[in-house]
Amino acid sequence: MNLQNLTISQIQKDRKANKYSSASLTQAYFTAIEKYNSKLNAYLALCKEQAIVKARASDKRLAPGKLRSQLDGIPIAIKDVICTKGVKTTASSNILKNFIPPYSATVIEKLDQAGAVILGKTNLDAFAHGSSTENSDFGVTKNPWDMGRVPGGSSGGSAVVISAGLATIALGSDTGGSIRHPASLCGITGFKPTYGAVSRYGLIAMASSFDQIGPMASTAQDARILFDTISGKDDKDATSFDLDKPIRQSDKKKNFTIGIPKEFITDDVDPDVKKAIENAITILEKNGAKIKEISLPHAKYALAVYYIIQTTEVASNLARFSGVHFGEARDQFGQEAKRRIMLGTFVSSAGYADKYYQKAQEVRVLVKEDFDRAFKKVDLIVGPVAPSPAFKIGEKTGDPLKMYLSDILTVPVNPAGLPAISIPCGTVERNKKDLPVGLQIIGPQKADYDVLDLAEYFQQITDFHLLKPNLY
Ligand code: GLN
């Protein structure tokens, strides 16, 4: 069985045709995990016994036609920053190395009700601070396209298990790019929904006004199915809401007017990445999209805005890990968490708050207004996800600013609360290895289904998403 290109619909078709059961598929994933995880370090914990029980239960529902949903019996991996009742949830931090949550996140409850099979918890930068998964207290996750390189971050583990065929679908979280960035560097599909479209209840908070849980998958169609399952208003998260389900108009997606922000295609973007993006834009244009150049003049301030507001919120959210209620003693915080707590405390402290925090909130509005203006002229915005393909392990760890710059093209989306996706659009060669490049599609708030439509359409007319690293 080729685990790397399995999709939800393929699995359900194969199960109905008695080719394999959810239990045997789940077992096949665990066999592959046993073989590859020691090299990749993508999973931190496995839920083997539970998974097999759930898979068997789903198989029993299949015969009488009683599957609960399209996700019934589908194996999924969960970023280890999302609480799972009774299953250790560490946020990849020593502080929480023994934390077993007494409750599950709303998204996990919804997956349970849908019949999904949780395989295990995946590695990340501790508390989701980072762009390479190197900040994990439990070791770096390796990129399956080149084991000497990072998978991106912070949802590096979830991206790797999809790309390496160690789960069918996965959940990640995105505060400044943490779903889209690793999706781009690992050649998978990663979708950050509109802020509030998915409940954050049970997500260990990083920066609450940016955080969003979202799907990671091999295809945009699978991302859509997972999104449909986890989205919706939740009484436990006051910022959540119900999104209107679209009536699909299949020919509409070809006629989208697409904006290309000139600020996103600069000299800071690797020339090979630029080429892949330009090629993708040409493909879209040839297939009916109208392309327009647009400008987001304040996007260049988004990273500064983000590192002021985000660190302020981080400092506040991490205050609960006092060693009294949760977790180990405070001295167990890693360097990056300490850096952010100090920065956030400083920029929001009396005497400095007006100059930094307040100013950043004002500029945040300008960033959002740029997008509002652009979306009066275009339906969607397209550009690169990351300025470079996967970089080498250790290449940026000595220079936090360099690391922060990895997010320059994903971060503007979060202060504005917009939906955005990363889909594969080609590869570039480095040291004789192919490395994937992601195309970013950004939509107006609540246009999640337009973003998914265009992504799905792109995957109907191209095969980039079928390219996988050579592991097997
Ligand atoms: N890489 C960004 C950061 O370090 C984004 C992280 C995230 O989205 N969780 O803050």
Side-chain angles (χ1 to χ4, degrees), residues 128-131 154 174-178 206 306-307 310 340 407:
H129 303 164
S131 314
S154 65
D174 192 311
T175 305
S178 277
M206 176 180 163
Y306 173 77
Y307 272 92
Q310 171 256 116
R340 293 188 191 213
D407 306 319

Side-chain angles (χ1 to χ4, degrees), residues 153-166:
S154 65
S155 312
S158 286
V160 167
V161 300
I162 300 304
S163 140
L166 305 180

Side-chain angles (χ1 to χ4, degrees), residues 111 147 160 183 200 319 341 413:
L111 287 172
M147 300 270 194
V160 167
R200 286 177 294 114
I341 292 168
V413 159

